[in-house]
Amino acid sequence: MKLCRFQNSASEARVGQIIDESTVTDLSAEGIDSITELLEDSDLISRMEALTDSPTLPLDDVEILTPVEKQEIWAAGVTYLRSKKARMEESDFSANAYDQVYDAARPEIFFKSLPEKVVGPNKFIGIRADSRWNVPEPELVLVINSKKELIGVSIGNDMSSRDIEGENLLYLPQAKVYDKSCAIGPYVVVGNNEEEIRQWTIGVEISRQDEVVFSGEISIDNIKRTFSGLIDYLGRSQSFPHGAMLLTGTGVVPDDDFTLAEKDVVSIRISGIGTLQNTVTIL
Ligand code: DO4
Ligand code: MG
């Protein structure tokens, strides 16, 4: 089941359910004004199944917004072997830290974005003007309710400045957190357990002037840690009154001679969810 937020032709933000490739229902016409309210409902699936008469709209007539409302956005790192290797290659200074965290009980988890700074599908994603080496990081997003339960999944882009990150581990927040550095969407998919989600693949395609300049894909099952383990560490000694979203790390990293350029189009696809597409701008 795919839930979304969208803007209708009257510029109103609505909550919807994707019915098929071309149709969305308007759940706000049924009094549902917040996706968070749905994610908090322990009877979400039965509640949704009972809504049989919601008005429908053609997807072409609406603009899909990011599903993020007030959720804090966090990210895990070095959860795939590919990411560990990339981090160690980019950084003489911090290579040992990445090596150790990959095998440690406690995962790397960092704060990624305030909810209001997250961009949705088809919006600009940013690269920093003071960085010379930038990549998208295609990541599965765990959508967590206020009880710290996994309630759904989405697609995320943890945009990263590899030269800043590689220079010194203490620069990580600058490599990761700036305007337009996090995209999430287009939908929250609910109703799948971890075992099912781990069968899906995640891939990215980067196009420059209509030519594909990088593509790669990996099975989500290559994430070294369990989803429940990541959520457990994220939720230790902190509460999330509006829930949280946790990006789970990247397993697709372009070769070291690749960097994003202005106007590149980044399309991240997760087989059970759909595609999150954004265009790069320099900030
Ligand atoms: O410590 C660096 C961040 C790693 C990361 O974001 C990832 O593996 O996805
Ligand atoms: Mg990442």
Side-chain angles (χ1 to χ4, degrees), residues 14-16 25-33 37-38 47-48 50-56:
R14 316 287 280 181
V15 176
T25 59
D26 184 352
L27 299 177
S28 297
E30 309 269 8
I32 299 169
D33 291 323
E37 177 206 324
L38 282 179
R47 179 170 169 192
M48 294 298 300
L51 294 174
T52 47
D53 294 327
S54 315
T56 60

Side-chain angles (χ1 to χ4, degrees), residues 75-80 82-84 87 90 98 101 108 110 137-139 158 160 165 169 172 176 247-251 253:
V78 199
T79 50
Y80 291 83
R82 177 70 186 102
S83 180
K84 177 181 101 152
R87 258 19 89 203
E90 81 196 2
Y98 294 119
V101 81
E108 178 196 12
F110 56 91
E137 292 193 351
E139 304 192 10
D158 170 26
S160 298
E165 171 183 85
L169 203 54
L172 189 75
K176 295 286 191 179
L247 284 77
T248 52
T250 188
V253 184

Side-chain angles (χ1 to χ4, degrees), residues 12-143:
E12 297 161 333
R14 316 287 280 181
V15 176
Q17 181 185 353
I18 302 293
I19 297 300
D20 57 39
E21 304 240 310
S22 54
T23 319
V24 59
T25 59
D26 184 352
L27 299 177
S28 297
E30 309 269 8
I32 299 169
D33 291 323
S34 136
I35 207 166
T36 310
E37 177 206 324
L38 282 179
L39 300 173
E40 289 293 319
D41 191 335
S42 50
D43 277 330
L44 169 62
I45 302 288
S46 352
R47 179 170 169 192
M48 294 298 300
E49 281 167 358
L51 294 174
T52 47
D53 294 327
S54 315
T56 60
L57 291 163
L59 264 176
D60 282 348
D61 291 357
V62 306
E63 180 191 342
I64 300 290
L65 306 171
T66 179
V68 178
E69 287 174 340
K70 291 183 174 175
Q71 292 88 350
E72 290 180 26
I73 311 300
W74 290 75
V78 199
T79 50
Y80 291 83
L81 189 58
R82 177 70 186 102
S83 180
K84 177 181 101 152
K85 285 187 177 150
R87 258 19 89 203
M88 291 179 73
E89 279 160 20
E90 81 196 2
S91 170
D92 292 336
F93 188 81
S94 323
N96 190 36
Y98 294 119
D99 197 22
Q100 286 192 23
V101 81
Y102 183 71
D103 289 315
R106 183 184 291 272
E108 178 196 12
I109 295 181
F110 56 91
F111 184 75
K112 176 64 186 177
S113 182
L114 290 170
E116 58 266 33
K117 291 178 79 173
V118 174
V119 300
N122 304 312
K123 301 286 185 202
F124 283 113
I125 40 171
I127 54 180
R128 300 179 61 113
D130 64 352
S131 167
R132 56 178 168 73
W133 188 15
N134 293 277
V135 290
E137 292 193 351
E139 304 192 10
L140 174 77
V141 179
L142 304 181
V143 179

Side-chain angles (χ1 to χ4, degrees), residues 205-209 211-215 258-260 264:
E205 189 174 273
I206 304 170
S207 302
R208 189 167 295 162
Q209 292 168 345
E211 197 184 311
V212 175
V213 288
F214 174 77
S215 66
F258 178 88
T259 186
L260 285 171
D264 281 357

